[in-house]
Amino acid sequence: MDDAIAACRILVVDDTDFNRTLIGALLNEAGFQNIVYAKDGFDALDQIATEAPDLLILDIMMPGMDGFEVCRRLRADHAYADLPVLVQTALSSSDDRNRAFAAGTTDLISKPLDRTELVARVRIHLQNRVLIRNLQTYRARVEGELAMARSMYDHLLPSAALCAALTDSAGVTLRSHTALSSDLGGDLWGVLPLAGGRFGLFLLDMAGRGVSAALNAFRMHTLIHELAPQLGERPGAFLTELNERAVCLLELGQHVTVIYGVVDGAAERFTYAAAAAAPPVLIPPDNAALVFGEGSGQPVGVAAGTRYEERSLPFPPDSALVLHSTAVLEALGGRSGGLPALLQRAAVRNAMAGGDGHGDGGDTFAAVTAALAEAQGDVPLDDHTLVWIGAEGAR
């Protein structure tokens, strides 16, 4: 017998000394080591409150408080909702048995007791108990790790103070919308201040989900900041070197989609390189047609020697530049729908026509993110990240 099952605490409740002794002897002979006893329902509830057993073997017909009442009181307490209760009874009618199950009994065993049946039922309920307990422990550990990863994620995102500083130095407004899936999808974005009022901006999405994807995203975040001082001005060279490092760092089968670009408000240009990322989108002023960049290229971390082409988009005053994760593209219907379809929604059109201009873009951004939140649902299946950079009008 498994040691964890043999050590499970079994509480035998019976008002007859002989029955308690008999059940204990049968269980001890079968290898169960931790058996305690209660002489009636009141004694049982007191012992359970002091130390909950893993299994309760309960006589149904007892004076003072019968087994039905013991079951009802236990099931009324959420702490004992999953406690297996094996009722021993001489009742044979279906009504009596149904009454026992209605009170909260897990299983029944008939009197007079059969040793083989008793041991088999005890073993199977304890096996289930140990399995559930192990799953609960595992779930608690995973939830704790996810909570820690979410906390780390929050600390790595650009702070409100940094975004405000970029508004002053670069002449842009920077807003973001992030919706994390329940198990984390590995999205992360950030900014790298550069000389001359410019800044670099990256958005990455690790393959896979969960804590491992989040940790790999954090590792990529560290690499990006290590490369920024030397290569932050050159997006193509930046991604090329990032790929070389990632190939050595990531395990086989792991990869990341990335877009990295330099926002230059004075030159009215966004220069970037992409590695299988969703294409950047420019929303020009005066309701002109959307301008789409390129998001092609091999994911980072797949093959050494991959080189990434540098591209650029215009970024005139009163326009908005939108970067987003591939999950946003999927939530909006892929390339056949995407941002164009979202921008045609009435609430978004009204915000764009309201005169806030894309340069500030507060109302338009709020309308876009509200529409996106509606599209992705209450619990997104993957992380969603959308970064909105608005070019303010000429001063």
Side-chain angles (χ1 to χ4, degrees), residues 58-363:
L58 178 65
D59 185 19
I60 205 72
M61 303 303 294
M62 295 184 296
M65 182 188 297
D66 61 21
F68 296 115
E69 183 61 20
V70 172
C71 279
R72 281 191 289 267
R73 294 196 184 190
L74 286 175
R75 297 316 187 203
D77 189 332
H78 179 72
Y80 308 116
D82 297 327
L83 174 63
V85 178
L86 177 59
V87 164
Q88 47 165 330
T89 178
L91 299 175
S92 59
S93 73
S94 60
D95 288 343
D96 289 330
R97 289 174 174 266
N98 290 339
R99 182 184 173 200
F101 284 117
T105 296
T106 306
D107 200 358
L108 297 173
I109 185 168
S110 299
K111 289 183 175 181
L113 295 177
D114 178 83
R115 176 191 178 280
T116 302
E117 182 184 11
L118 172 67
V119 171
R121 291 184 184 273
V122 168
R123 181 180 286 114
I124 193 169
H125 287 297
L126 288 179
Q127 286 173 341
N128 291 338
R129 182 70 166 170
V130 169
L131 176 61
I132 290 172
R133 187 165 56 203
N134 290 342
L135 289 174
Q136 290 172 335
T137 301
Y138 174 76
R139 178 178 178 180
R141 179 172 64 81
V142 170
E143 288 178 348
E145 291 174 349
L146 287 172
M148 185 181 299
R150 288 190 184 95
S151 178
M152 293 174 63
Y153 178 94
D154 290 339
H155 282 87
L156 291 179
L157 293 177
S159 65
L162 177 56
C163 291
L166 291 175
T167 298
D168 293 336
S169 64
V172 300
T173 56
L174 187 61
R175 296 181 173 89
S176 68
H177 166 82
T178 300
L180 298 181
S181 64
S182 59
D183 54 359
L184 293 179
D187 277 19
L188 199 59
W189 74 279
V191 294
L192 307 170
L194 301 173
R198 297 166 302 144
F199 65 92
L201 189 149
F202 65 88
L203 193 159
L204 63 88
D205 183 3
M206 286 299 313
R209 295 180 187 174
V211 174
S212 61
L215 292 178
N216 278 330
F218 301 156
R219 296 163 84 185
M220 297 303 298
H221 182 277
T222 300
L223 281 182
I224 285 171
H225 281 77
E226 287 178 356
L227 295 176
Q230 294 79 31
L231 300 173
E233 305 274 358
R234 299 182 289 149
F238 187 98
L239 279 197
T240 298
E241 181 59 26
L242 182 65
N243 177 71
E244 296 302 310
R245 303 278 187 95
V247 167
C248 298
L249 181 68
L250 300 177
E251 295 180 5
L252 184 65
Q254 296 177 340
H255 60 269
V256 55
T257 65
V258 190
I259 183 169
Y260 174 75
V262 175
V263 178
D264 190 337
E268 300 180 6
R269 187 150 297 275
F270 175 63
T271 306
Y272 70 97
V281 182
L282 177 75
I283 306 177
D286 303 322
N287 293 320
L290 299 179
V291 179
F292 290 86
E294 292 289 335
S296 58
Q298 186 161 253
V300 163
V302 173
T306 304
R307 302 189 65 82
Y308 294 90
E309 183 180 349
E310 201 164 281
R311 300 180 172 92
S312 67
L313 283 175
F315 191 33
D318 288 328
S319 64
L321 183 66
V322 182
L323 275 61
H324 54 83
S325 58
T326 53
V328 170
L329 197 68
E330 293 164 1
L332 297 177
R335 296 179 186 273
S336 60
L339 279 175
L342 183 142
L343 294 174
Q344 291 303 311
R345 296 193 180 194
V348 179
R349 290 202 310 272
N350 291 339
M352 295 175 69
D356 72 338
H358 306 318
D360 176 70
D363 292 343

Side-chain angles (χ1 to χ4, degrees), residues 15-66:
D15 63 306
T16 303
D17 290 342
F18 175 77
N19 289 342
R20 294 196 301 270
T21 302
L22 174 62
I23 294 172
L26 294 175
L27 294 178
N28 278 139
E29 184 183 359
F32 298 100
Q33 305 163 3
N34 189 2
I35 305 168
V36 293
Y37 306 92
K39 63 182 181 298
D40 56 36
F42 297 103
D43 187 17
L45 293 178
D46 288 342
Q47 291 197 44
I48 292 170
T50 300
E51 182 178 358
D54 296 295
L55 174 70
L56 184 63
I57 300 178
L58 178 65
D59 185 19
I60 205 72
M61 303 303 294
M62 295 184 296
M65 182 188 297
D66 61 21

